[in-house]
Amino acid sequence: NYEALDELIGEINQHTNETVEVVDPANSANNYTIPYYSAEYLATMQAKIAERDNSLVILQQDKVDNLTAALEDMYAKLGENLNEADYKFATEQKNIQAQYEAEYEKYYTAASWKKLVDARAAIKNGRLAGEQAQVNGWAKAIYDARNSLVYNGADYSKVAEYQAKYNELLANKSWYTNWSDFETAYRAVVEGKDITEQATVDGYATQLQTTYEALDLKDADYAALRAELAVAEAKTDNKMFYTDASYNTFYTEYLKAKEFAAKDPVTIDKQAEVDAYTDALKKAVAGLEWKPADMAPVTSALEAYNNVDMSAYMEEYPTDTDADGIVDVWEAVQAAADAAEALPRLTAQASI
């Protein structure tokens, strides 16, 4: 009776054909399967199955039963004879270097690099086919960690240095003839680039530095100073009319301003220096004091006239008409005297 034996053999053959999948995390087209159980043990079982002899008769039933018992014993131990797990893809992934492995600290964030290191270290040898899924998981974890590495940010420190200079100068951008070049370089900067684009960021810094160092300041505005110098120049022709003290103060400031204006022009960032010379000269001009006129001729003339005996002239010119003429002359002389007193400056000496 082979019924129990054949049923067992059928079950063994069905069970021993089981496989597990070895997964390539990079390309599923590379996946393949391996036997679940040890090939050597399966070969031993198949050799035992091959001992089945169809020619036996009922008197030899014990041989069939013994074979059945032997196979049952082997079948029971099948779980102890699993195939080894396949580490092909796990090993491959572990050995693949990251793009910048040699300089990982420079290129990758510490957290993302640690994930890759931990994933590589997680692999444990000696797993069996029943744990192939875990081995596959290790391979995928390494693959994912390597492809999820996060680059460090590019170094923008040099860029930031010149961005700060730009902001410092921005309020006075009108001082420069070529400010637009610096502004173009400033606006060309794209923030947030990573370390793999450091060359681009360095290019930003170079362009900023070049345009900054090439900034050309306009000359300061000398118009007000030149105008004031022209006024002062005219004053120097009339030295005699001013008090010595006020003229000396004026002339000192005049010479200073004239000497300064004759030098190479300062740039517009030193406009305050130009304005200081202008203001000092303007103050000195305003401080000039006139010398007083000599009023003695007027005083003498008035005294002499006041001492005139008008009656004598009235007797000589008795008519009303003549008397009116004398009064007219008197009034004219008095008006001239008043006018002279209103011009006490030395420049009015001729009129006096």
Side-chain angles (χ1 to χ4, degrees):
N1 184 349
Y2 292 88
E3 183 177 353
L5 177 60
D6 290 342
E7 183 178 346
L8 178 59
I9 290 173
E11 185 177 345
I12 289 173
N13 287 334
Q14 181 180 1
H15 199 178
T16 56
N17 287 332
E18 290 181 9
T19 60
V20 292
E21 187 175 32
V22 181
V23 178
D24 182 358
N27 185 357
S28 61
N30 295 330
N31 295 358
Y32 59 88
T33 61
I34 61 172
Y36 196 82
Y37 300 103
S38 164
E40 182 180 356
Y41 194 71
L42 291 178
T44 302
M45 290 185 70
Q46 289 301 320
K48 180 59 71 174
I49 290 172
E51 293 179 9
R52 182 183 183 284
D53 185 357
N54 286 330
S55 65
L56 298 177
V57 295
I58 190 64
L59 295 177
Q60 297 173 301
Q61 184 65 43
D62 59 329
K63 289 185 178 183
V64 175
D65 294 340
N66 290 338
L67 180 58
T68 300
L71 284 173
E72 284 178 342
D73 183 58
M74 295 181 73
Y75 187 42
K77 296 178 180 179
L78 188 59
E80 301 173 10
N81 290 274
L82 299 180
N83 196 11
E84 292 182 352
D86 190 318
Y87 282 75
K88 179 180 185 299
F89 296 126
T91 302
E92 284 181 0
Q93 290 300 320
K94 183 177 182 179
N95 293 334
I96 293 175
Q97 298 283 290
Q99 184 175 358
Y100 300 103
E101 183 109 9
E103 298 178 276
Y104 70 88
E105 289 180 312
K106 173 182 177 181
Y107 279 90
Y108 304 115
T109 64
S112 67
W113 181 254
K114 185 176 184 301
K115 285 183 179 180
L116 178 58
V117 171
D118 290 347
R120 287 171 172 170
I123 295 178
K124 299 293 185 289
N125 293 324
R127 295 296 189 261
L128 301 176
E131 300 168 295
Q132 184 65 49
Q134 184 180 35
V135 178
N136 292 341
W138 290 334
K140 187 175 187 307
I142 297 172
Y143 174 82
D144 289 344
R146 189 179 62 255
N147 287 286
S148 298
L149 284 170
V150 178
Y151 289 119
N152 286 320
D155 181 2
Y156 276 78
S157 58
K158 195 69 174 178
V159 171
E161 176 184 341
Y162 287 96
Q163 286 175 325
K165 293 180 185 295
Y166 174 91
N167 290 322
E168 288 172 6
L169 301 179
L170 184 59
N172 297 314
K173 65 180 182 179
S174 61
W175 288 3
Y176 302 94
T177 63
N178 56 345
W179 176 263
S180 61
D181 295 340
F182 190 33
E183 183 171 26
T184 297
Y186 177 86
R187 297 191 181 283
V189 175
V190 177
E191 302 288 348
K193 291 190 177 296
D194 61 47
I195 190 68
T196 63
E197 296 179 283
Q198 186 64 52
T200 299
V201 176
D202 291 343
Y204 296 152
T206 297
Q207 191 62 21
L208 282 166
Q209 180 178 3
T210 300
T211 53
Y212 170 76
E213 292 176 351
L215 282 174
D216 179 36
L217 280 166
K218 297 176 182 177
D219 289 341
D221 183 358
Y222 279 70
L225 178 58
R226 293 191 183 100
E228 200 62 39
L229 279 169
V231 172
E233 184 73 30
K235 300 293 184 184
T236 61
D237 294 335
N238 297 310
K239 176 181 178 180
M240 68 186 72
F241 296 133
Y242 302 108
T243 62
D244 291 343
S246 68
Y247 187 83
N248 289 340
T249 299
F250 153 76
Y251 197 68
T252 297
E253 294 302 328
Y254 167 69
L255 291 180
K256 287 180 182 178
K258 186 176 182 179
E259 181 183 3
F260 175 76
K263 295 177 181 179
D264 290 338
V266 298
T267 49
I268 195 168
D269 57 323
K270 296 182 176 66
Q271 184 66 48
E273 186 176 357
V274 179
D275 294 342
Y277 278 102
T278 304
D279 293 342
L281 182 55
K282 184 179 294 186
K283 182 178 180 181
V285 169
L288 283 170
E289 297 177 356
W290 296 105
K291 285 182 179 178
D294 181 5
M295 297 299 290
V298 173
T299 302
S300 177
L302 288 173
E303 287 177 354
Y305 191 76
N306 288 330
N307 290 328
V308 171
D309 182 0
M310 294 297 295
S311 62
Y313 291 94
M314 294 299 288
E315 290 176 359
E316 186 174 351
Y317 302 100
T319 66
D320 291 341
T321 301
D322 292 335
D324 288 342
I326 293 298
V327 173
D328 289 343
V329 171
W330 171 262
E331 290 176 350
V333 171
Q334 188 64 52
D338 291 343
E341 289 178 339
L343 298 170
R345 300 181 306 187
L346 184 58
T347 52
Q349 193 64 54
S351 298
I352 292 168

